[in-house]
Every structure is written in structure tokens, then in C-alpha cells.
Amino acid sequence: QLSDQQKMSESPLGRFRGVYLPPALHPLNKTFIKDSKWKDVDSAQEKRRSFLHDFCKKYNSRKKLQTHLVHLVSRIYVEDRHKVLYCEVPKAGCSNWKRVLMVLNGLAASAHNISHDDVHYGKHLRKLDSYDLKGIYTRLNTYTKTIFVRDPMERLVSAFRDKFEHPNSYYHPVFGKAIIKKYRQNANEEALKTGSGVRFKEFIQYLLDSHRPVGMDIHWEQVSKLCYPCLINYDFIGKFETLEEDANYFLQLVGAPADLKFPKFKDRHSSDERTSAEVVRQYLKELSKEERQLTYDFYYLDYLMFNYTSP
């Protein structure tokens, strides 16, 4: 739907297409960092940045960018006051990150009194794909871009527990019904009608099926396809495993108010045990050796890019 003028090669998109990636690794702007307590976090950050950059160079050296720019940035949230771009990875602290962005943007006084629904359905934050091409291009080039990731199996199990083990008016009827219908032999009428009670093994059968009865979902989509880390040059790579210190260091980097700290609370199902390596192990026991291997293969790029060890 772009006008002919926008389609012309001198548009920002024209400059993006056919570019060999990844772009150069720029040093982080550390003007706002005043004390030495961040030394270890900073050193971990530099390692992650150069690791990802080297990986992308190797992996991407012969690939040209064919994806439309607007699609590439569709998961990226914009905070214009502190010039932050945050790519949302569900199940890696994204609800609390959106709360923080709302505070940075002046939309709320504190992250602690913003409800889950307000965060996810309130439409308070703009995404990068809502700007015109010049707006997208300018922000990509001048804002501090961050992504927060998580061990792929932990993220997957966390998504399954959240969406299928608790009542859910969207995931049960939309995904649950289709999954039970296709992968459960002799399913009873109740299960087929409600879509509740999906088993982890059935969920994995759906995930690995090239003819899925329903499409993918951002909660279990690979990070490589949500945020395109080899095409967009992220300045900061946070990890869920070190979420608080990474997040608080990042807030210092972008000059956030001194009293703004990343919230510690668990967004939903707060009485549930957090999804840990041990919890994951219990779920993986339900799968055959082949299913476990194929699930790992499915997230292979995410494991490689962010230097996670295979389970």
C-alpha cells in the first residue's frame, strides 16, 4: 500500500534491501554510568554483544535482507523520551518491561500499579511499525535498541504452563480445541468442546507439525523470527536469567530517573513455582528422545545466537 514515491529506491527501505548484514557493532554510550558497581554486568554485556555479532557475521555473510522493513520491526516498542526501542520476547519479562516503558514515557507514576490488562490491552505504547519509513529508519539508527531473551526450553515450558494449565478464554478455544482434535486419539466430547487440558506432549506435536492446525503464536515463536537479531543491530542484550541487574543497568544507560527500578514481581499466577531448569526437566520427561531433539532443533538458532547451552 506504499505510494510509488515511497517505493523508490532512495527511500529508507531501498537502503535496507539488498544490504549485507549484520551492520557494524557500535560502542555503547555509557555517558550516564557514574559508578563502578556495574562493571561485571557491563563486561557480560560486551561479551554477549560481540558473541552475537560474530555469530551473525558467520551465519549471515551470504544472506541478503529480503524481509520487508515494516515486518522486521513489528514487535518493537518505542519510548521516545529516552530514545529506547524494546523488542518484545514473551515469557522473558516483557510485561514488566512494558510497565517500565510506560513509566519512562510519563504514562504512569510507578510500574507497580499498572494492571496486566492495562499493559497488554491498553494500547498505551506505540510500536515501531506504526511510524512512516523515515520515522522507522531514524529511530533504528539513533535510539538504544534492546532485547531480553531466555533459555528457549524454559521459555517454551513457561508459555505452555501459562496458556494451557490455567483457564484461558483465548488459548483453550483457539489452540486447545485444534490441538486436542488433531493429536489426541479418542478425545472425549468435553475436551473437544472446551479445548482445556492440553498435554505437553500434544502441544509439542503441534509445535513440530509442518501442517499445524493453527498458526504460530508469539509466546513460542523463535526469538530469531520475533526480533531478527542478525538484521537489527541490538545495542543491549539482556537475559531473563540475570533480568534485574541487566534491566537496571540498561535503565542507567538510557538516563532513566534514579528511583525507577525494574519491578521484581511475577506478573501472573504468582503462586506458581517459576519455570526453572528442574521444572523443564519434568516436562521434557513426557517426550520421546526424538521429540526432545526435534524441539531443540526448532530453537537451534536461539540457542546459538544467545550462547545458551543445550539442555
Side-chain angles (χ1 to χ4, degrees):
Q1 294 177 339
L2 298 174
S3 70
D4 288 343
Q5 192 182 353
Q6 278 176 301
K7 282 180 189 161
M8 283 165 64
S9 60
E10 57 266 30
S11 75
L13 185 63
R15 275 177 271 168
F16 257 77
R17 275 195 191 280
V19 174
Y20 283 102
L21 294 147
L25 188 62
H26 298 296
L28 262 178
N29 178 356
K30 297 172 188 171
T31 318
F32 292 111
I33 303 296
K34 295 288 180 260
D35 55 43
S36 58
K37 73 170 186 175
W38 301 107
K39 210 169 73 175
D40 292 347
V41 189
D42 180 64
S43 142
Q45 190 49 232
E46 292 302 345
K47 282 185 189 132
R48 285 175 201 166
R49 278 159 45 86
S50 58
F51 183 91
L52 178 63
H53 187 260
D54 292 346
F55 167 80
C56 292
K57 217 158 55 179
K58 211 160 70 182
Y59 171 74
N60 250 13
S61 58
R62 308 239 172 342
K63 294 198 171 189
K64 282 194 174 184
L65 169 53
Q66 296 304 334
T67 316
H68 195 294
L69 177 62
V70 175
H71 175 69
L72 279 188
V73 301
S74 62
R75 308 273 6 130
I76 295 180
Y77 284 88
V78 179
E79 198 283 286
D80 280 318
R81 281 183 172 188
H82 297 79
K83 301 195 168 176
V84 170
L85 297 180
Y86 161 71
C87 188
E88 175 187 28
V89 175
K91 311 313 297 173
C94 73
S95 300
N96 279 339
W97 258 117
K98 287 193 225 172
R99 288 184 172 95
V100 166
L101 293 179
M102 286 168 71
V103 174
L104 286 174
N105 227 335
L107 298 166
S110 155
H112 291 270
N113 45 21
I114 308 170
S115 73
H116 177 86
D117 284 0
D118 223 15
V119 165
H120 290 285
Y121 311 114
K123 305 274 184 258
H124 301 292
L125 297 165
R126 276 187 80 173
K127 284 190 180 161
L128 193 50
D129 62 355
S130 69
Y131 294 84
D132 63 13
L133 286 175
K134 185 171 183 290
I136 293 173
Y137 194 67
T138 305
R139 284 170 179 80
L140 277 176
N141 274 328
T142 57
Y143 283 22
T144 307
K145 301 175 287 297
T146 185
I147 179 176
F148 272 69
V149 297
R150 183 178 188 176
D151 173 281
M153 288 294 186
E154 280 189 26
R155 189 177 153 243
L156 177 68
V157 170
S158 175
F160 172 76
R161 294 173 76 200
D162 181 24
K163 303 306 174 197
F164 296 103
E165 291 185 352
H166 294 274
N168 191 298
S169 59
Y170 172 72
Y171 284 91
H172 293 199
V174 175
F175 286 86
K177 276 160 89 165
I179 288 172
I180 289 169
K181 186 178 175 194
K182 183 160 184 183
Y183 307 107
R184 187 179 299 180
Q185 288 178 332
N186 311 319
N188 66 37
E189 225 169 288
E190 178 70 6
L192 289 167
K193 197 172 82 189
T194 63
S196 297
V198 169
R199 297 167 194 141
F200 187 61
K201 191 179 176 74
E202 295 164 340
F203 172 63
I204 295 300
Q205 286 174 302
Y206 143 79
L207 185 79
L208 301 174
D209 188 348
S210 55
H211 304 289
R212 288 185 199 102
V214 268
M216 270 306 276
D217 181 85
I218 61 167
H219 291 83
W220 43 87
E221 181 67 278
Q222 300 103 318
V223 178
S224 52
K225 290 185 179 171
L226 287 171
C227 296
Y228 298 95
C230 279
L231 303 182
I232 292 168
N233 202 8
Y234 289 97
D235 302 293
F236 192 94
I237 300 147
K239 290 198 167 182
F240 186 79
E241 294 73 14
T242 48
L243 178 60
E244 269 174 64
E245 55 196 46
D246 287 351
N248 287 325
Y249 178 53
F250 179 78
L251 289 173
Q252 292 266 309
L253 278 173
V254 297
D259 59 346
L260 177 60
K261 299 282 181 280
F262 193 80
K264 290 181 183 183
F265 59 83
K266 193 173 188 286
D267 191 50
R268 292 203 301 171
H269 318 309
S270 51
S271 59
D272 287 8
E273 183 188 351
R274 269 202 192 273
T275 303
S276 61
E278 188 43 52
V279 169
V280 169
R281 205 169 287 126
Q282 299 308 317
Y283 281 83
L284 293 183
K285 278 181 186 170
E286 297 173 32
L287 309 179
S288 69
K289 198 174 174 186
E290 187 192 14
E291 285 167 331
R292 289 200 293 268
Q293 181 62 48
L294 289 170
T295 307
Y296 170 71
D297 295 345
F298 186 83
Y299 291 105
Y300 183 58
L301 265 188
D302 287 1
Y303 273 102
L304 286 185
M305 278 180 174
F306 301 109
N307 202 15
Y308 280 110
T309 48
S310 54

